Amino acid sequence: SLAFTVPLAGIGVAVTKMAADFELGMHKVTSLMGGVTDQEFRKLSDAVLELSKRMGVDAVKAADALYEAISAGVPKENVMDFLRVASEAAIAGVTNTKVAVDALTSVINAYQLGFGKAKEVSAAMFQAVNLGKFTFEQLAGSMSVAVPLASQLGVGFKDLLAAAATLTTQGFSVSEAMTSIRSAMVAILTPNKQMNELLERTGFASGEALLRAKGLQG
């Protein structure tokens, strides 16, 4: 019986620690929400546990991802829907939910899309994964290189993803592709003599005007 008791005791300790870690994670989440009643805390915890069970994701990591989502500005009214989309993206992209949350919120915040667009952003990312030569996680880790400047210049995130996917089919890694795209945008914004001559031939007063009129592909 001792041979059975020792492993069972170990399982019990692991489960207890997991429960404690989850509760700690949820307290971190609700600390960002301001005043939360015990009933609201339990309701939100139950919702995260149900999501993790239904989707087969780690509950503690789901709580951590929820914290990251709220930190990034996802309103509490939409946060569970957003977490579901991020969890689906993480599962399909063979990564963790925190990575998906970071990627989705980066695009949504940069382009001021509203968090209801999370599914659309996720779908566009997977389309790029299908067309290019990189994983979802690799894409998620490289987007911050080009997304802020692209959004500032009015370059759509779908255009940015399409350009990156195209470059990776020509031998670039996705991080190299994003860096190259950013460098191209910077070069158009701060043109040298040769670039100025090209801009004059296009009839546009500036590189930014050209980008806004023709888009990244143009």
Side-chain angles (χ1 to χ4, degrees):
S1 62
L2 183 60
F4 287 102
T5 303
V6 172
L8 287 173
I11 291 171
V13 170
V15 169
T16 301
K17 184 180 184 307
M18 186 182 299
D21 288 345
F22 175 74
E23 186 163 357
L24 176 62
M26 291 305 301
H27 277 298
K28 286 172 59 182
V29 167
T30 54
S31 71
L32 297 177
M33 296 180 171
V36 175
T37 66
D38 288 343
Q39 183 178 6
E40 289 170 331
F41 174 83
R42 186 50 52 200
K43 183 178 180 181
L44 183 60
S45 297
D46 288 345
V48 176
L49 286 171
E50 174 60 26
L51 177 71
S52 72
K53 179 181 178 182
R54 179 160 40 90
M55 304 196 70
V57 298
D58 183 278
V60 176
K61 290 181 179 178
D64 289 342
L66 186 65
Y67 178 86
E68 294 297 328
I70 294 173
S71 296
V74 181
K76 63 182 180 180
E77 295 80 13
N78 304 110
V79 75
M80 288 308 301
D81 287 337
F82 180 86
L83 186 62
R84 177 183 54 78
V85 173
S87 298
E88 290 171 348
I91 292 168
V94 196
T95 186
N96 64 68
T97 308
K98 189 174 179 180
V99 168
V101 165
D102 183 58
L104 295 176
T105 55
S106 293
V107 174
I108 288 169
N109 284 331
Y111 284 92
Q112 300 180 347
L113 297 175
F115 291 99
K117 295 288 187 179
K119 198 168 187 66
E120 180 183 339
V121 174
S122 175
M125 290 180 66
F126 277 108
Q127 180 68 6
V129 170
N130 290 335
L131 294 173
K133 297 176 70 175
F134 46 83
T135 66
F136 182 92
E137 186 165 352
Q138 289 169 339
L139 175 61
S142 64
M143 290 176 66
S144 61
V145 173
V147 161
L149 184 57
S151 64
Q152 178 187 327
L153 296 175
V155 174
F157 73 92
K158 292 180 181 178
D159 292 337
L160 177 65
L161 292 172
T166 300
L167 285 174
T168 61
T169 63
Q170 298 171 13
F172 288 80
S173 70
V174 67
S175 62
E176 290 170 339
M178 288 293 180
T179 300
S180 295
I181 293 167
R182 187 183 188 283
S183 296
M185 290 188 291
V186 169
I188 292 172
L189 280 177
T190 56
N192 56 22
K193 181 180 178 181
Q194 184 181 15
M195 182 67 74
N196 272 321
E197 290 172 356
L198 290 171
L199 285 172
E200 286 177 11
R201 286 164 54 186
T202 67
F204 287 91
S206 68
E208 184 171 352
L210 173 62
L211 267 176
R212 291 188 180 278
K214 296 294 186 181
L216 186 60
Q217 185 176 353

